């Protein structure tokens, strides 16, 4: 019988300032050459996500975003260094020169893509710590530095997550095309301004009256879709499917990637839960995730790679019979036929499977001492630095680091009378 329950977190705050979360992208050196058509730039940014920063740079440089290559996306609530490429010169708007900075670092024979990212270095400051919780924090530091953490995707991957419908793309995979389009166009993102949220609420209220929707359009893309729907003589499910295909490839690819990430999280959590007698569950934006006991991590090869579900389909990937059965049960619980993973739903977008580690051990992991927190009087702060492979989430490492449960000696226990300041 499983000995597991929900665990909270030690009290902490992360990202109180952009400097508290610093990320430096590590570029595969084979992509840098002395000559080549593409110039490689190092982009330093603060308070901007990657795509929004590149959109402003592309506009200032008078070229489409598609001409700028990048190795990875970086968070808005951070201070980051990353690499981008372009065949033409790039410029930063003068008014943004204090938060965006470009410098040339070399040339390349090809535009940058995610394959060029060999990992990331992180320098974090955790704040608002309570000194009386330092003993458990020290235990967790030893555990993370020795055996790492489960390589789940974190909430940044699920910006479109909906409490009722989960991900909009799920509706597309279920062939509920109108619902998918409506969610794409009318659901507000986390952190979106009130004006945008109000406009999208009005769109929901008048959905189906395409003339009114067109008047409320907030972008050329929205106007194009609503204008097209207004002109349709007859509307069927396939009509909405057709209009979904006009979204930028980058956006559709991100939607499919979020679906694969959500499926991976539930798959790995369920797999570890089945295989391990002891552990705890944590609550996340998309649902509970299972953390196994440390002894299980030490005595089991959970550092192995496992395919992320995708094309060419789960029956064609290197899964065990148990893993295939588990994946099929998750997909059916989502009202999805497992065959939907045999091919990508969009003609120009791939949903390829790829290998991902189940557990990640951080490299060059270092922790500082408890210090007085200058932003939170009476509390402490601690600095951490480490390196993670591309695709691994530092915020998931922090969740394991600040777990209130004790996961040692083959047992797992958790305290529940208190809640974290910022889980």
């Amino acid at each position: 019988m499983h000995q597991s329950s929900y665990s909270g977190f030690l009290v902490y705050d992360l990202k109180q300032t952009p400097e508290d979360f610093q990320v430096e992208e590590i570029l595969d050196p084979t992509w840098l050459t002395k000559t080549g058509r593409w110039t490689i730039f190092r982009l330093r940014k603060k308070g901007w996500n990657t795509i929004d920063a590149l959109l402003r740079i592309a506009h200032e440089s008078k070229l489409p975003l598609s001409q700028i290559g990048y190795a990875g996306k970086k968070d808005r609530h951070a201070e980051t260094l990353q690499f981008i490429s372009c065949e033409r010169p790039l410029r930063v708007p003068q008014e943004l020169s204090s938060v965006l900075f470009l410098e040339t670092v070399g040339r390349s024979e090809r535009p940058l893509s995610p394959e060029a990212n060999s990992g990331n270095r992180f320098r974090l400051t955790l704040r608002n710590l309570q000194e009386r919780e330092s003993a458990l924090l020290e235990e967790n530091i030893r555990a993370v530095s020795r055996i790492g953490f489960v390589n789940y995707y974190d909430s940044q991957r699920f910006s479109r997550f909906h409490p009722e419908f989960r991900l909009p793309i799920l509706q597309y995979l279920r062939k509920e095309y109108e619902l998918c389009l409506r969610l794409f166009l009318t659901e507000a993102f986390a952190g979106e301004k009130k004006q945008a949220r109000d406009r999208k609420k009005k769109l929901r209220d008048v959905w189906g009256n395409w003339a009114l929707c067109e008047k409320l359009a907030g972008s050329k893309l929205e106007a194009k879709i609503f204008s097209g729907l207004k002109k349709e003589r007859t509307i069927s499910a396939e009509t909405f499917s057709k209009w979904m295909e006009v979204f930028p490839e980058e956006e559709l690819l991100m939607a499919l990637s979020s679906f694969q990430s959500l499926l991976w999280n539930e798959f790995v959590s369920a797999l570890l839960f089945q295989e391990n007698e002891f552990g705890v569950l944590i609550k996340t934006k998309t649902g509970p995730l299972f953390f196994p006991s440390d002894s299980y991590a030490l005595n089991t090869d959970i550092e192995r790679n496992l395919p992320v579900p995708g094309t060419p389909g789960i029956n064609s990937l290197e899964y065990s019979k148990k893993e295939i059965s588990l994946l099929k049960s998750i997909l059916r619980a989502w009202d999805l036929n497992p065959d939907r993973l045999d091919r990508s739903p969009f003609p120009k977008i791939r949903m390829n499977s790829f290998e991902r580690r189940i557990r990640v051990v951080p490299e060059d992991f270092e922790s500082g001492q408890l210090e007085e927190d200058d932003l939170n009087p009476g509390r402490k702060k601690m600095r951490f630095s480490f390196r993670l492979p591309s695709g691994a989430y530092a915020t998931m490492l922090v969740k394991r680091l600040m777990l209130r449960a004790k996961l040692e000696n083959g047992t797992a226990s958790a305290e529940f009378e208190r809640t974290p300041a910022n889980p």
Side-chain angles (χ1 to χ4, degrees):
M1 182 177 179
H2 281 89
Q3 302 296 313
S4 61
S5 51
Y6 280 95
S7 172
F9 298 90
L10 303 176
V11 175
Y12 75 98
D13 276 320
L14 180 61
K15 301 182 182 180
Q16 277 198 289
T17 71
E19 293 78 13
D20 289 346
F21 197 97
Q22 299 180 35
V23 189
E24 181 181 351
E25 190 172 79
I26 303 168
L27 186 67
D28 183 338
T30 63
W31 286 67
L32 277 174
T33 58
K34 293 182 180 179
T35 60
R37 289 168 51 191
W38 285 269
T39 301
I40 304 298
F41 302 88
R42 183 186 287 114
L43 169 64
R44 183 190 299 272
K45 64 180 182 63
K46 180 163 59 175
W48 282 73
N49 67 49
T50 297
I51 297 301
D52 286 344
L54 295 187
L55 281 169
R56 293 298 299 271
I57 291 171
H59 183 266
E60 181 70 16
S61 307
K62 295 182 172 55
L63 51 84
L65 176 63
S66 59
Q67 291 190 20
I68 302 178
Y70 55 92
K73 295 178 181 178
K74 298 293 179 283
D75 197 359
R76 177 168 65 93
H77 303 288
E79 186 175 280
T80 69
L81 279 174
Q82 66 180 108
F83 296 91
I84 63 177
S85 66
C86 192
E87 292 184 83
R88 294 171 54 186
L90 294 178
R91 294 186 294 272
V92 170
Q94 180 62 35
E95 67 272 18
L96 298 178
S97 59
S98 63
V99 291
L100 300 178
F101 178 76
L102 275 178
E103 61 178 323
T104 302
V105 295
R107 309 288 294 180
S108 178
E109 300 289 345
R110 48 189 168 160
L112 290 186
S113 66
E115 290 75 24
N117 186 349
S118 63
N120 295 284
R121 292 187 182 91
F122 294 88
R123 288 179 290 276
L124 311 184
T125 301
L126 297 186
R127 296 182 178 275
N128 202 30
L129 305 176
Q130 293 188 339
E131 189 168 12
R132 60 193 176 93
E133 296 183 332
S134 60
L136 183 51
L137 175 57
E138 290 295 333
E139 288 183 26
N140 289 346
I141 289 172
R142 288 191 290 271
V144 168
S145 63
R146 184 176 49 151
I147 62 175
F149 59 101
V150 182
N151 194 22
Y152 292 121
Y153 291 93
D154 211 348
S155 58
Q156 303 95 302
R157 191 73 163 186
F158 310 111
S159 61
R160 284 191 177 275
F161 187 81
H162 190 284
E164 180 181 355
F165 301 109
R166 301 176 74 81
L167 295 173
I169 202 66
L170 268 176
Q171 321 313 314
Y172 193 94
L173 295 170
R174 292 176 182 143
K175 300 187 178 181
E176 297 178 11
Y177 303 126
E178 181 181 0
L179 177 56
C180 178
L181 183 65
R182 179 167 65 81
L183 292 172
F184 259 76
L185 294 175
T186 68
E187 289 301 319
F189 288 98
E192 224 172 2
K193 293 182 179 179
K194 184 179 184 302
Q195 182 179 359
R197 301 175 76 89
D198 290 344
R199 184 185 66 83
K200 289 184 175 181
K201 182 180 183 304
K202 291 177 182 177
L203 274 177
R204 289 196 297 273
D205 293 339
V206 300
W207 184 263
N209 186 330
W210 308 124
L212 281 178
C213 287
E214 185 181 10
K215 290 180 180 179
L216 290 168
S219 66
K220 291 182 180 179
L221 175 64
E222 288 184 12
K224 178 180 180 179
I225 292 173
F226 292 133
S227 175
L229 286 169
K230 184 178 66 174
K231 295 173 184 176
E232 295 279 0
R233 292 186 177 181
T234 58
I235 293 183
S236 64
E238 286 65 32
T239 305
F240 294 105
S241 174
K242 177 188 72 176
W243 285 108
M244 276 298 305
E245 293 179 13
V246 306
F247 278 87
E249 292 183 10
E250 173 82 19
E251 192 166 352
L252 294 178
L253 180 60
M254 192 65 220
L256 289 174
S257 297
S258 294
F259 163 74
Q260 290 180 271
S261 303
L262 184 65
L263 183 54
W264 161 271
N265 275 7
E266 296 215 4
F267 174 38
V268 170
S269 182
L271 187 65
L272 294 178
F273 185 83
Q274 280 189 359
E275 293 180 349
N276 184 41
E277 185 177 358
F278 299 99
V280 295
L281 294 162
I282 64 166
K283 294 179 180 178
T284 73
K285 177 180 182 178
T286 60
L289 295 175
F290 183 73
F291 279 71
S293 66
D294 292 345
S295 63
Y296 172 76
L298 284 170
N299 298 318
T300 310
D301 184 24
I302 67 167
E303 200 170 354
R304 71 185 189 275
N305 285 342
L306 190 69
V308 174
T311 56
I314 60 178
N315 290 311
S316 301
L317 297 170
E318 293 185 6
Y319 294 122
S320 67
K321 289 183 178 179
K322 179 181 72 173
E323 290 164 351
I324 290 176
S325 176
L326 186 56
L327 268 173
K328 286 183 175 179
S329 68
I330 294 171
L331 289 167
R332 288 183 180 126
W334 291 358
D335 295 324
L336 282 181
N337 188 318
D339 292 345
R340 288 294 275 166
L341 271 65
D342 291 352
R343 66 187 65 86
S344 177
F346 301 108
K348 296 182 180 180
I349 309 295
R350 295 182 178 181
M351 190 173 58
N352 292 341
S353 173
F354 54 93
E355 297 284 313
R356 183 175 174 86
R357 297 187 206 174
I358 296 180
R359 176 169 58 96
V360 169
V361 179
E363 297 180 22
D364 305 323
F365 183 89
E366 294 183 1
S367 59
Q369 301 296 318
L370 279 177
E371 308 173 44
E372 293 299 321
D373 187 347
D374 49 308
L375 299 183
N376 301 282
R379 296 296 180 92
K380 303 293 184 179
K381 68 179 181 182
M382 185 179 284
R383 294 184 172 91
F384 298 86
S385 63
F386 50 87
R387 173 176 169 170
L388 295 178
S390 175
Y393 283 74
T395 48
M396 192 56 69
L397 179 151
V398 171
K399 284 182 170 63
R400 174 60 189 91
L401 191 65
M402 304 307 291
L403 200 65
R404 185 171 294 283
K406 296 183 178 182
L407 295 178
E408 57 185 11
N409 301 324
T411 63
S413 61
E415 301 174 26
F416 304 104
E417 68 273 18
R418 301 169 60 202
T419 57
N422 187 14

